[in-house]
Amino acid sequence: MAAQTVEERDIWLTEEQQAAWRHYLEGTARFVEALGSVHDRTLPLSLGEYSLLVQLSEAPDRTMRMSTLADGLVLSRSRLTHTVARMEARGLVSRCAAEGDRRGVNCAMTEAGYAALVAAAPGHVSAVRRILVEALEPEEFEMLGRVMAKVAASSRAAGGTEEGLTVLCD
Amino acid sequence: MAAQTVEERDIWLTEEQQAAWRHYLEGTARFVEALGSVHDRTLPLSLGEYSLLVQLSEAPDRTMRMSTLADGLVLSRSRLTHTVARMEARGLVSRCAAEGDRRGVNCAMTEAGYAALVAAAPGHVSAVRRILVEALEPEEFEMLGRVMAKVAASSRAAGGTEEGLTVLCD
DNA sequence: GGTGGATAGTTGAGGGATCAACTACCCACG
DNA sequence: CGTGGGTAGTTGATCCCTCAACTATCCACC
């Protein structure tokens, strides 16, 4: 508990860091669990479908390229294809060829999709409010946003530099 | 963008809250994505298996009741049963009847499980360090821990009170 | 103008997650 | 006792995700 060698200080986390890390893990896990369960039990859209439609709703013509959507939602292309296929079967979105790039596909929100989004929004937002926003002091929540933006940036960088790091080991 | 009615102020989030919320979502998504990818590409254990073994490693006799494990990892009982079955087949853990409660099952880490944990730990910790800890100022990281502990508590409460809330609507 | 390497998106097979049903057991209360 | 409601854990059908392979297109360069 007390003394650590130099190596250990560099490799492991301190007690305080460990504790913070555990709280982070538990917090994120329990939060998505709670929010997802609100969606599954009371709303017409899963959390994933809801997020997808939110993105679309903010795009011009409520339409986006598949790959832009995948990046924004942090989904693999393959997963997005499957998800959109299911949502298309339910009439929530529709796909059509993109103009200007014949490889591209546009995903557009349908009227039914918009209606589902409108139906789900109040329940979704009120759950986010109840479970996340109101559990924290305003400054805490604001800080959480700023800190997680840094984490997002750092994670993005980590994804891109992986091979670069192994190169450094040569 | 400017004026909101009283109702809207109560139902929706402000611009600043929205931004913080989006950053939170993106940050958590990109982080698990980045950390999971380190496990999948370079370590002998997936992130989920690793977390399970970490929990076991800290318990007396490296043994825990299935339900305790499920609660600690925020997994459904069913999911834990399936996961442990797969890990048992790989020789990482073993199950045996719990004494004192004949319904209970104990899950214990094997030597091979411990070895796998030891092998995975340095890569895991260094990824957490690189992507999360060192991306933030020490105070920021410490604050993140404290804030997420509150979120965990609030989410736990939300999970338990769901039916209670509908009762309030009668 | 055609070749090579990147990018956009899809597909299907296999593995993992979810949900509802089920067995087995505990325990409080009559 | 014994009955009833709760808890512990498992099962299997179904659905969803992942991964690797594939087609089709774009574009830079010679």
Side-chain angles (χ1 to χ4, degrees):
Chain A
M1 309 299 173
Q4 291 189 317
T5 70
V6 176
E7 287 163 330
E8 281 170 340
R9 246 196 293 108
D10 288 345
I11 294 181
W12 305 108
L13 303 179
T14 66
E15 300 266 313
E16 297 78 30
Q17 287 175 329
Q18 276 256 13
W21 163 239
R22 297 283 172 95
H23 287 316
Y24 172 80
L25 274 186
E26 191 194 344
T28 53
R30 292 211 191 273
F31 177 71
V32 298
E33 145 76 17
L35 184 57
S37 125
V38 168
H39 275 265
D40 292 345
R41 285 180 303 98
T42 70
L43 301 176
L45 297 169
S46 75
L47 181 52
E49 292 162 347
Y50 182 86
S51 308
L52 194 154
L53 291 181
V54 167
Q55 292 261 358
L56 279 184
S57 77
E58 292 170 347
D61 293 331
R62 290 174 187 160
T63 297
M64 278 197 209
R65 283 292 287 271
M66 290 291 279
S67 49
T68 315
L69 211 38
D71 290 352
L73 296 166
V74 196
L75 295 180
S76 71
R77 312 254 158 133
S78 169
R79 179 166 173 183
L80 182 66
T81 295
H82 288 303
T83 302
V84 165
R86 285 188 298 265
M87 291 178 74
E88 192 171 31
R90 286 170 53 198
L92 299 170
V93 298
S94 67
R95 275 181 290 191
C96 61
E99 54 213 281
D101 185 339
R102 279 188 296 176
R103 297 167 302 178
V105 171
N106 277 331
C107 178
M109 185 161 54
T110 62
E111 277 307 315
Y114 186 70
L117 181 59
V118 168
H124 169 88
V125 175
S126 100
V128 172
R129 256 195 181 306
R130 250 195 316 121
I131 308 174
L132 185 67
V133 182
E134 289 171 358
L136 305 176
E137 303 301 324
E139 325 83 67
E140 288 178 330
F141 182 58
E142 186 261 355
M143 164 122 196
L144 181 61
R146 277 193 297 110
V147 163
M148 290 311 292
K150 291 174 83 169
V151 173
S154 145
S155 305
R156 215 187 325 250
T161 345
E162 312 273 5
E163 295 96 39
L165 282 180
T166 60
V167 165
L168 287 180
C169 296
D170 291 339
Chain B
M1 311 303 175
Q4 291 189 320
T5 70
V6 176
E7 287 164 329
E8 281 170 340
R9 247 195 294 110
D10 288 346
I11 294 181
W12 306 108
L13 303 178
T14 65
E15 300 265 314
E16 297 78 31
Q17 287 174 329
Q18 276 256 12
W21 163 237
R22 296 285 171 94
H23 288 314
Y24 172 80
L25 275 186
E26 191 196 344
T28 53
R30 291 208 191 275
F31 177 71
V32 298
E33 145 76 17
L35 183 57
S37 125
V38 168
H39 276 264
D40 292 345
R41 285 180 304 96
T42 72
L43 301 177
L45 297 169
S46 76
L47 182 52
E49 292 162 345
Y50 182 86
S51 308
L52 194 154
L53 291 182
V54 166
Q55 292 262 358
L56 279 184
S57 76
E58 292 169 347
D61 292 331
R62 289 175 187 160
T63 296
M64 279 197 212
R65 282 292 287 270
M66 290 292 280
S67 49
T68 314
L69 211 37
D71 290 352
L73 295 166
V74 196
L75 295 181
S76 70
R77 314 251 159 143
S78 168
R79 181 167 171 183
L80 182 66
T81 296
H82 287 304
T83 301
V84 164
R86 284 188 299 266
M87 292 177 75
E88 193 171 31
R90 287 170 52 199
L92 299 170
V93 297
S94 67
R95 276 180 289 193
C96 61
E99 55 212 281
D101 184 341
R102 277 188 296 175
R103 298 166 301 178
V105 171
N106 277 332
C107 179
M109 185 162 54
T110 63
E111 277 307 314
Y114 185 70
L117 180 60
V118 167
H124 169 88
V125 175
S126 102
V128 171
R129 253 194 184 305
R130 249 194 318 120
I131 309 175
L132 184 67
V133 182
E134 289 173 357
L136 305 176
E137 303 300 325
E139 326 81 68
E140 288 178 330
F141 181 58
E142 185 261 356
M143 163 121 196
L144 180 62
R146 276 193 296 110
V147 164
M148 290 310 293
K150 290 175 83 168
V151 173
S154 147
S155 304
R156 215 185 326 250
T161 345
E162 312 274 3
E163 296 96 37
L165 282 179
T166 60
V167 165
L168 287 180
C169 296
D170 290 338

